[in-house]
Amino acid sequence: MEYKIIYSKRKTIAIQITRTCEVVVRAPIGASKKRIEDFVASHSAWIQKHLESQKSRAQRYPEPSREEISRLKARAREILPERVAHYSSIMGVTPTHISINEARTRFGSCSEKGRINFSCRLARYPLEAIDYVVVHELAHLKFLNHSRQFWSFVEEILPDYKTRKGLLK
């Protein structure tokens, strides 16, 4: 199995499957090749499972063209403000600003100042998945972490949030 090794100041070995289906092994500086090979071999089933999952996702959601990005942004501008307003009133929170960007690795983010960013790529997914991301980011206006309280709050709003989250994978 082919993989790329990145050495850094870390204590453990980790494996990442990128969106382009590349296997990346992150290892502590000084980790031996043997230790890395053994680690990769012991996680081969996990690697195969996640490679297949990424390949399937890449087929379902190929990288959009510039034209598609423009359409996704327009659709996101139609959908997201309305969904944010709807859930903001239910959750008792108000973002200071909403923006739509072209992020590839995150569907949404929330800053300490209450600014919420959404990726236009979110517009490719069903409304149930979009609502999950909206609620997730709005919940960060109350809890700037992923604590039990955060997840309880999300579940209070969307009892089926786990199913909705699964639609994004």
Side-chain angles (χ1 to χ4, degrees):
M1 174 184 314
E2 260 189 57
Y3 53 88
K4 176 181 173 183
I5 302 173
I6 298 175
Y7 293 97
S8 63
K9 292 181 181 180
R10 57 181 300 130
K11 294 182 185 211
T12 60
I13 299 174
I15 300 171
Q16 172 190 9
I17 310 297
T18 68
R19 288 183 180 263
T20 58
C21 298
E22 181 182 25
V23 179
V24 177
V25 178
R26 298 183 184 280
I29 296 169
S32 69
K33 283 269 194 208
K34 171 103 173 82
R35 180 175 166 211
I36 294 169
E37 287 170 3
D38 289 347
F39 186 85
V40 170
S42 71
H43 289 82
S44 62
W46 182 93
I47 293 168
Q48 283 308 120
K49 176 184 167 193
H50 286 83
L51 271 174
E52 288 170 23
S53 174
Q54 278 294 63
K55 286 176 185 172
S56 172
R57 183 180 186 179
Q59 287 173 343
R60 284 191 322 254
Y61 300 104
E63 187 61 26
S65 66
R66 292 303 318 154
E67 190 176 295
E68 284 178 289
I69 288 284
S70 294
R71 283 196 302 269
L72 289 171
K73 278 185 175 180
R75 179 161 153 63
R77 283 188 200 107
E78 284 175 27
I79 297 170
L80 288 165
E82 175 190 320
R83 304 315 296 159
V84 168
H86 172 74
Y87 283 106
S88 289
S89 65
I90 293 170
M91 297 169 74
V93 296
T94 306
T96 57
H97 183 76
I98 298 168
S99 64
I100 296 166
N101 58 37
E102 296 178 27
R104 293 177 185 195
T105 57
R106 290 182 178 189
F107 289 117
S109 64
C110 180
S111 75
E112 288 181 4
K113 294 181 179 178
R115 296 176 60 91
I116 296 181
N117 298 299
F118 294 104
S119 172
C120 65
R121 295 162 200 271
L122 186 57
R124 293 173 134 183
Y125 292 85
L127 193 57
E128 295 84 8
I130 293 170
D131 283 350
Y132 161 72
V133 175
V134 168
V135 169
H136 182 110
E137 297 311 328
L138 288 172
H140 281 308
L141 296 175
K142 279 196 175 191
F143 305 98
L144 279 171
N145 54 42
H146 289 116
S147 64
R148 281 192 196 127
Q149 291 172 310
F150 170 87
W151 289 112
S152 292
F153 186 50
V154 169
E155 189 170 31
E156 192 179 303
I157 307 303
L158 297 175
D160 63 341
Y161 81 90
K162 290 178 183 173
T163 302
R164 292 170 182 252
K165 185 178 180 181
L167 296 172
L168 298 169
K169 298 194 178 192

